[in-house]
Amino acid sequence: MIQKKDLAIYVHIPFCIRKCYYCDFASFVAPRQTQALYMQSLQEELKSYTPLGNHYIVRSIYFGGGTPSVLEPIYLMRVLLDIRDHFLVAKDVEITVECNPGTLSESKLQEYKALGINRLSIGLQSANDAELKLLGRIHTWSVFRSNYALARRLGFNNINIDLMQSLPHQTVEGWMDTLQKVTELSPEHISAYSLTIEPGTPFYNTYGSPEGQKELPSEEEDREMYHRTRDFLHTRGYERYEISNYAKEGYESRHNITYWVGGDYLGLGLNAASYMDGRRFTNPKDLQEYRDTARGAYARCKAAEPLTEKARMEEFMFLGLRMMQGVSEMEFRNRFRKTIADVYGDIPTKLMAEGLLKREKGRLKLTERGIDVSNGVMAEFIL
Amino acid sequence: MADIDQSRIRNFCIIAHIDHGKSTLADRIIEKTGLLTQREMQEQVLDNMDLERERGITIKSQAVRTIYKANDGKEYVFNLIDTPGHVDFNYEVSRSLAACDGAVLVVDAAQGIEAQTLANVYLALDADLEVFPVINKIDLPSAEPERVINEIEDVIGIEAQDAPQISAKNGVNIEAVLEAIVEKIPAPSGDPDAPLQALIFDSIYDSYRGVIVFCRLMHGRVRKGMTISMMATGASFDVVEVGTFGAGQFIPCDELSAGMVGYLTASIKNVRDTRVGDTVTEKARPCKEALPGYKKVLPMVYCGMYPADGAKYPDLRDALEKLQLNDASLQYEPETSVALGFGFRCGFLGLLHLEIIQERLEREYNLDLITTAPSVIYKVYKTNGEVIDLTNPTNMPDPTEIEYMEEPIVKAEIMVTTEFIGAIMDLCQERRGNYLGMEYMEDTRAMLKYELPLNEIIYDFFDALKSRSRGYASFDYEMAGYKRSSLVKLDILVNREEVDALSFIVFEGTAYERGRKMCEKLKEEIPRQLFEIPIQAAIGNRIIARETVKAMRKDVLAKCYGGDITRKRKLLEKQKEGKKRMRQVGTVEIPQKAFMSVLKLDSE
């Protein structure tokens, strides 16, 4: 019998009720008709991967967006059924749906439950209504609260809450207030990101200029928020396991960890990225182009250039370092038949001397300071 | 073609202030004399370097030969030798002038005489050339030919009443220029039967034919097979080919004789054997004496040039060697910098010359360069009686060993409309100028005369002049010896380490100001790093200015989107690439740009 490889499947649902002012994801508002056609293409895309069915066992499925929860649950059902048709799915599979407050109802959540969806990731961003309004969110804190309570009542016992710090005009105290309120609800997992002003968004027009930047918290404040987040969540029973992710023990996101440890994942849908069999490829960003080529997805995947060993080493390092557990020196050697020192010379030593990296029990990890400037640290591992 | 009647030869050049239309007139002359059809004519045939076309200036001398059928029914041979217009290239100008018998002076009908017009006219008169004026751009609405004619007569003192009034751009009245060339420029009068005596006025290197020598025959003849010798270097060669200049091509012929301008090749591999200004003669029958040649010009501005990628050092050396082949005024010698590694200290005629060479190295030789602040040559009188010529600030002796120092001074002539006199005088004052006098050219224009330290004008004086006169001032200068001055070496310390490539010598009275500006500029240019970086300006052990680059607090990608690793990778690769373009000085990484930015301290 062939040893089956673990696989994570990402399903991109690009639809939203309204686009938030900071968002630069492949997402947009679309009529039902467009949604139906899109889901049809996505099923065609999925079908093209049938030949891989024997090689993989699916460990996690993640509906991301966009706002997957705007879709009628029947679409999610079709995708899940197709996945089960073509792939072996692990008994304890983690199935996550990203949802936004204001798009959840009792019936919808009940259907999710029936489909085997066992993890919700709710985009709250802030517990402060003025901040929510500024971000262009469609919901308030109280709408979130009732959605959350509903999910709990229906038995969802693995919930992530997405939060965003360093919002315009936000103070450290304001941010701590959001954290306080959220932890009172005791979700299993919290993702806390710093707001990034991305080109092409309305926020970029407002806050992208040197003048606009003055309305954002300073770098010092941003770092203070970040460090206080870790300390505060620690006291509430959450451990930081990745730069921006915190979980109660045993509730780390299996799906996201796949990305960071170089596991195989299949991305379905608009602009979704995949990494399978040493090859990376990304679906078209243009909706029409995506739909026109969905059928040939697997053929394209096979045609992609495999990553060079150099690229694999680089990724092993810069993705692995995002995890607080860092990278294992032993594993590097097992994978590449060379030690980290063979490949990177004195770079790790230099970074350790600068206090950016540390070595513990055969693993290299970022220090707190190393996290703050991690781009610079990771860039050192580009060969 | 054997024996051309010398009375039918006209060897001339066109001189003008920059932008007065010299190259355009040259094009029209070539076109009208039928050397090329209009279709073959590329705009400005003579400016054949890309850089020349882009900047609209002539850098290298060029020569072209054409035939003109004059109104008297006879055919004349025109040898037009183009000359550079910028003050930095006076040397090239005088080289070209020596090969001519006359000069066409082009003056813009709207702008009138400018500083460089005068400088070039004086060079031509010094070379005993017949000079006649042409009034160009009469098509401009602002043209005032009458006023300009009077100005020429008053200021230069040459007859201008019957100067052809033309528009080179529109091809108006070009015939009048051609006729004037025939009438006014004297024919050469050498003896074709005397021993060969020819002046080398330029040379280029061709990988197939070796050095191609551009020469003007004063006396005698030269033909294929003749053994020639160079009077200064003593080297001798067998002539392989002689010929004349087409537009952008060489046209071989049997023989060149007295009065002619042409080229010769003789399998000369080493350009040093054929020095520009040297005299070519026949080995078996040498002429009695060499032609006066030209005085060797000395570089006035020095700077360090370093390859951005240290591995390209040999490439830079080869490129400089090749450029020097047809630009004898370029000098270079190896030097090393702690900050920049291996490079060259290069000497130039002026800042424009420096920029031109830099651009040619970057474009034609594909080199990425770091240039240090330009410096003039200071004379350092040491207490032990020794005198040194200082071209690199790093070599400045310890102040305790210095008795005193001198800096080079120029005499500058600035022509300006009267409304800007005040502004320009202020500028000269700021640059430590010593007012010598002022002459009114006419009611609205004056010529200011100043003595200025060269180091005050090599950076950005020209730009400042233009901006303070809304573009109306023009400027020319000549060296006027050395003067004692209080000079200090200003050092820049980055993270408490001296960066040798940023040191420069400055007048004591302005050192504080300069140091402060340097620190401010560097603060902008040096990106934040993981630690705080003090930037200090110091004279000896005394810190005179300080800025701080704050430590980088945050450089983290908060969210690693889904599986989009490619995006993350691109970001890191860009970061890595940026690092490569930095120079490591101690623990600090300084971008290449920072080294250059200090050249433009006054531009704001």
Side-chain angles (χ1 to χ4, degrees):
Chain A
M1 200 186 124
I2 326 167
Q3 180 75 36
K4 287 191 200 296
K5 259 182 111 177
D6 290 351
L7 183 69
I9 296 180
Y10 175 81
V11 182
H12 189 69
I13 308 296
F15 310 116
C16 281
I17 293 189
R18 178 167 109 190
K19 184 128 178 145
C20 300
Y21 303 142
Y22 57 87
C23 172
D24 79 329
F25 288 116
S27 68
F28 45 86
V29 183
R32 274 164 188 264
Q33 179 76 15
T34 312
Q35 299 184 4
L37 290 170
Y38 175 82
M39 293 311 292
Q40 206 177 334
S41 301
L42 198 142
Q43 281 180 278
E44 282 168 11
E45 185 192 2
L46 176 55
K47 200 171 168 197
S48 80
Y49 288 102
T50 313
L52 286 182
N54 284 330
H55 301 279
Y56 285 105
I57 174 162
V58 178
R59 295 278 178 194
S60 77
I61 301 168
Y62 191 101
F63 291 92
T67 310
S69 55
V70 300
L71 277 188
E72 289 303 321
I74 179 146
Y75 290 114
L76 303 189
M77 182 180 83
R78 285 186 190 156
V79 173
L80 287 171
L81 286 176
D82 282 355
I83 291 175
R84 287 182 189 278
D85 272 356
H86 304 313
F87 292 92
L88 178 66
V89 174
K91 263 203 182 74
D92 65 342
V93 64
E94 173 190 282
I95 307 179
T96 308
V97 176
E98 282 185 352
C99 358
N100 278 326
T103 61
L104 293 175
S105 64
E106 180 155 2
S107 62
K108 201 177 263 178
L109 286 169
Q110 270 168 345
E111 287 184 75
Y112 285 177
K113 197 83 203 160
L115 291 173
I117 290 165
N118 50 25
R119 186 170 181 269
L120 297 180
S121 175
I122 307 179
L124 168 63
Q125 316 310 352
S126 167
N128 175 323
D129 285 347
E131 285 173 354
L132 290 172
K133 197 170 169 196
L134 183 94
L135 292 170
R137 305 291 295 177
I138 58 166
H139 59 88
T140 59
W141 166 241
S142 83
V143 168
F144 163 78
R145 284 251 310 245
S146 57
N147 280 182
Y148 183 85
L150 191 62
R152 282 298 199 212
R153 186 152 58 77
L154 294 173
F156 285 96
N157 56 11
N158 186 359
I159 297 183
N160 166 54
I161 295 178
D162 265 352
L163 297 175
M164 224 188 280
Q165 64 165 76
S166 300
L167 306 180
H169 311 296
Q170 191 177 47
T171 60
V172 178
E173 293 318 312
W175 166 245
M176 295 311 293
D177 182 58
T178 287
L179 281 184
Q180 174 66 41
K181 285 180 171 148
V182 167
T183 47
E184 279 166 15
L185 300 174
S186 202
E188 284 68 31
H189 190 285
I190 293 174
S191 297
Y193 304 113
S194 281
L195 171 70
T196 321
I197 306 294
E198 300 286 355
T201 61
F203 262 27
Y204 190 76
N205 296 334
T206 317
Y207 305 111
S209 65
E211 204 48 44
Q213 276 170 22
K214 289 181 188 153
E215 299 187 43
L216 300 171
S218 68
E219 289 188 357
E220 283 72 18
E221 289 171 299
D222 174 86
R223 288 298 90 191
E224 191 184 340
M225 290 182 202
Y226 180 77
H227 294 299
R228 284 184 64 177
T229 302
R230 184 199 63 152
D231 295 345
F232 177 77
L233 291 181
H234 182 73
T235 65
R236 296 294 188 274
Y238 299 88
E239 286 311 315
R240 181 179 62 191
Y241 67 98
E242 192 263 357
I243 289 179
S244 307
N245 284 287
Y246 305 80
K248 290 187 178 170
E249 200 185 338
Y251 287 97
E252 295 83 6
S253 161
R254 188 190 290 173
H255 186 83
N256 284 334
I257 289 173
T258 309
Y259 299 144
W260 302 316
V261 299
D264 280 20
Y265 53 92
L266 171 60
L268 301 170
L270 189 67
N271 206 24
S274 304
Y275 180 55
M276 286 201 294
D277 198 18
R279 297 161 210 267
R280 288 200 182 285
F281 52 98
T282 305
N283 283 343
K285 215 173 180 161
D286 176 78
L287 182 62
Q288 191 59 47
E289 191 188 342
Y290 165 69
R291 295 203 47 215
D292 291 345
T293 58
R295 238 177 261 264
Y298 178 54
R300 248 192 349 258
C301 144
K302 278 191 298 185
E305 278 296 312
L307 290 184
T308 60
E309 179 172 72
K310 167 178 160 293
R312 283 189 291 125
M313 290 188 215
E314 291 167 347
E315 292 185 0
F316 180 87
M317 296 306 293
F318 76 69
L319 292 172
L321 285 173
R322 285 196 71 89
M323 303 278 289
M324 294 304 109
Q325 63 173 24
V327 295
S328 154
E329 293 171 299
M330 173 96 79
E331 200 185 333
F332 187 95
R333 206 172 60 214
N334 289 344
R335 269 198 208 189
F336 304 112
R337 304 272 151 220
K338 284 174 199 156
T339 66
I340 289 179
D342 289 341
V343 178
Y344 289 105
D346 62 355
I347 289 174
T349 322
K350 197 194 86 190
L351 292 168
M352 280 188 269
E354 290 173 19
L356 303 171
L357 214 57
K358 59 186 175 187
R359 177 186 277 132
E360 283 171 10
K361 296 180 189 150
R363 303 187 79 97
L364 291 176
K365 316 173 180 187
L366 293 174
T367 60
E368 281 303 313
R369 175 81 177 122
I371 291 172
D372 291 344
V373 294
S374 53
N375 285 343
V377 178
M378 290 169 184
E380 293 285 349
F381 291 101
I382 299 291
L383 289 165
Chain B
M1 148 99 57
D3 249 11
I4 288 182
D5 180 357
Q6 282 189 66
S7 70
R8 304 278 183 82
I9 299 178
R10 297 294 180 270
N11 297 319
F12 65 98
C13 56
I14 306 174
I15 54 181
H17 186 74
I18 194 163
D19 281 345
H20 280 195
K22 178 167 56 75
S23 298
T24 317
L25 177 60
D27 289 350
R28 287 296 98 79
I29 291 174
I30 292 164
E31 191 184 297
K32 291 278 178 191
T33 51
L35 187 74
L36 294 171
T37 64
Q38 198 147 12
R39 202 149 41 98
E40 291 167 322
M41 196 70 200
Q42 219 184 340
E43 267 297 297
Q44 306 202 339
V45 175
L46 291 179
D47 287 349
N48 61 13
M49 276 199 276
D50 286 347
L51 202 57
E52 292 183 323
R53 285 221 188 88
E54 273 168 39
R55 291 195 168 215
I57 53 172
T58 308
I59 299 162
K60 291 290 299 169
S61 307
Q62 305 282 340
V64 69
R65 175 183 188 274
T66 110
I67 309 287
Y68 173 61
K69 190 165 186 203
N71 291 347
D72 63 10
K74 296 177 188 157
E75 285 192 338
Y76 291 84
V77 174
F78 282 7
N79 285 306
L80 164 57
I81 296 159
D82 199 16
T83 60
H86 191 275
V87 53
D88 273 8
F89 300 102
N90 275 352
Y91 169 64
E92 302 260 349
V93 176
S94 54
R95 261 155 71 155
S96 314
L97 295 177
C100 299
D101 302 301
V104 180
L105 169 67
V106 180
V107 184
D108 183 306
Q111 291 182 15
I113 293 176
E114 297 286 358
Q116 285 162 25
T117 316
L118 283 180
N120 285 330
V121 167
Y122 293 143
L123 285 174
L125 295 175
D126 279 352
D128 281 332
L129 300 195
E130 193 65 41
V131 178
F132 80 85
V134 166
I135 314 296
N136 191 20
K137 304 197 187 178
I138 54 159
D139 55 310
L140 292 181
S142 54
E144 291 180 87
E146 289 311 315
R147 178 181 68 81
V148 172
I149 285 168
N150 290 332
E151 196 177 78
I152 294 171
E153 295 194 332
D154 290 351
V155 177
I156 305 177
I158 58 173
E159 169 69 29
Q161 289 307 323
D162 57 352
Q165 299 185 14
I166 67 162
S167 163
K169 193 172 117 215
N170 301 334
V172 175
N173 218 9
I174 304 301
E175 288 76 9
V177 181
L178 300 174
E179 284 299 315
I181 291 168
V182 172
E183 280 165 33
K184 299 197 170 167
I185 291 180
S189 57
D191 177 0
D193 299 318
L196 173 64
Q197 187 191 37
L199 177 73
I200 303 178
F201 66 88
D202 206 349
S203 67
I204 59 167
Y205 189 82
D206 179 287
S207 36
Y208 299 107
R209 292 184 283 190
V211 179
I212 301 177
V213 177
F214 293 17
C215 56
R216 157 76 193 267
L217 274 76
M218 299 301 175
H219 298 289
R221 306 164 193 276
V222 62
R223 53 165 57 239
K224 182 178 170 181
M226 179 188 273
T227 304
I228 52 168
S229 76
M230 308 294 168
M231 294 188 74
T233 63
S236 60
F237 304 96
D238 292 332
V239 175
V240 173
E241 183 182 308
V242 299
T244 56
F245 303 108
Q249 71 202 70
F250 296 102
I251 301 169
C253 65
D254 294 337
E255 179 186 274
L256 295 174
S257 61
M260 292 175 77
V261 171
Y263 70 92
L264 62 86
T265 67
S267 301
I268 305 167
K269 291 297 164 215
N270 190 345
V271 168
R272 277 166 204 86
D273 289 335
T274 55
R275 279 219 301 264
V276 167
D278 197 359
T279 303
V280 184
T281 192
E282 185 177 359
K283 192 167 191 201
R285 193 167 75 109
C287 59
K288 283 203 181 65
E289 56 189 19
L291 293 158
Y294 327 105
K295 61 175 183 216
K296 191 166 154 54
V297 282
L298 297 169
M300 295 204 286
V301 177
Y302 283 80
C303 78
M305 284 191 165
Y306 293 82
D309 173 359
K312 292 276 174 72
Y313 175 78
D315 298 11
L316 176 58
R317 189 189 52 217
D318 292 350
L320 284 168
E321 202 167 292
K322 283 193 185 117
L323 282 182
Q324 197 187 41
L325 295 186
N326 57 17
D327 186 352
S329 50
L330 168 67
Q331 294 193 354
Y332 62 92
E333 57 181 54
E335 71 171 7
T336 51
S337 150
V338 179
L340 301 176
F342 290 100
F344 294 92
R345 177 111 318 224
C346 303
F348 306 93
L349 300 173
L351 204 60
L352 178 70
H353 188 211
L354 185 160
E355 281 175 27
I356 299 276
I357 294 293
Q358 188 186 339
E359 281 195 49
R360 290 187 65 186
L361 287 169
E362 290 183 344
R363 285 190 203 193
E364 295 169 29
Y365 298 91
N366 214 5
L367 290 163
D368 205 355
L369 295 176
I370 303 177
T371 325
T372 63
S375 168
V376 301
I377 310 168
Y378 298 96
K379 288 199 181 297
V380 182
Y381 293 81
K382 293 174 67 174
T383 46
N384 64 5
E386 210 184 315
V387 182
I388 55 174
D389 283 347
L390 187 67
T391 59
N392 183 348
T394 316
N395 300 334
M396 179 140 150
D398 190 86
T400 56
E401 297 171 24
I402 299 172
E403 178 86 43
Y404 65 95
M405 283 175 72
E406 287 182 346
E407 65 178 327
I409 301 292
V410 300
K411 258 192 190 138
E413 293 183 337
I414 301 161
M415 213 168 279
V416 63
T417 46
T418 42
E419 55 182 315
F420 298 114
I421 288 176
I424 300 304
M425 288 179 85
D426 285 348
L427 173 66
C428 292
Q429 221 59 47
E430 287 163 26
R431 302 301 175 96
R432 298 191 282 137
N434 181 16
Y435 176 74
L436 296 177
M438 175 167 65
E439 283 170 30
Y440 277 89
M441 318 290 297
E442 53 196 298
D443 291 349
T444 57
R445 293 209 309 163
M447 175 137 79
L448 285 166
K449 295 187 177 179
Y450 268 93
E451 215 175 57
L452 286 158
L454 181 62
N455 83 357
E456 295 286 344
I457 60 173
I458 56 168
Y459 292 91
D460 54 357
F461 185 74
F462 194 66
D463 294 340
L465 197 67
K466 287 285 174 195
S467 72
R468 294 203 196 181
S469 65
R470 291 199 214 119
Y472 284 115
S474 66
F475 163 64
D476 191 55
Y477 65 85
E478 58 178 28
M479 293 301 293
Y482 274 79
K483 260 197 177 167
R484 189 164 166 163
S485 179
S486 301
L487 298 160
V488 291
K489 178 170 157 238
L490 192 63
D491 293 318
I492 299 295
L493 289 78
V494 174
N495 206 21
R496 300 191 172 77
E497 284 198 45
E498 188 181 314
V499 183
D500 57 356
L502 290 172
S503 294
F504 61 107
I505 290 168
V506 63
F507 177 62
E508 198 171 15
T510 52
Y512 169 75
E513 178 75 7
R514 279 251 157 204
R516 193 178 52 77
K517 281 188 177 168
M518 284 277 279
C519 291
E520 282 170 8
K521 192 79 183 183
L522 287 169
K523 184 189 174 183
E524 284 169 33
E525 296 290 341
I526 298 178
R528 292 187 304 156
Q529 288 165 40
L530 296 174
F531 40 88
E532 186 176 283
I533 306 164
I535 299 171
Q536 296 160 304
I539 298 171
N541 293 324
R542 191 161 50 94
I543 303 291
I544 59 164
R546 172 184 168 132
E547 293 284 339
T548 306
V549 178
K550 286 206 284 181
M552 164 122 61
R553 295 295 307 137
K554 178 196 171 193
D555 179 23
V556 49
L557 192 65
K559 188 162 187 171
C560 199
Y561 296 119
D564 194 0
I565 308 304
T566 325
R567 179 169 162 156
K568 170 90 177 158
R569 164 181 285 284
K570 276 186 189 142
L571 180 111
L572 296 177
E573 279 171 352
K574 209 171 138 195
Q575 198 148 350
K576 175 91 179 181
E577 197 49 45
K579 263 192 120 144
K580 269 199 212 153
R581 303 186 70 85
M582 306 264 211
R583 288 284 163 157
Q584 184 94 25
V585 177
T587 50
V588 180
E589 303 195 316
I590 304 179
Q592 289 170 27
K593 250 178 69 206
F595 291 97
M596 326 274 260
S597 69
V598 298
L599 310 186
K600 292 172 196 135
L601 286 181
D602 291 342
S603 50
E604 289 88 43

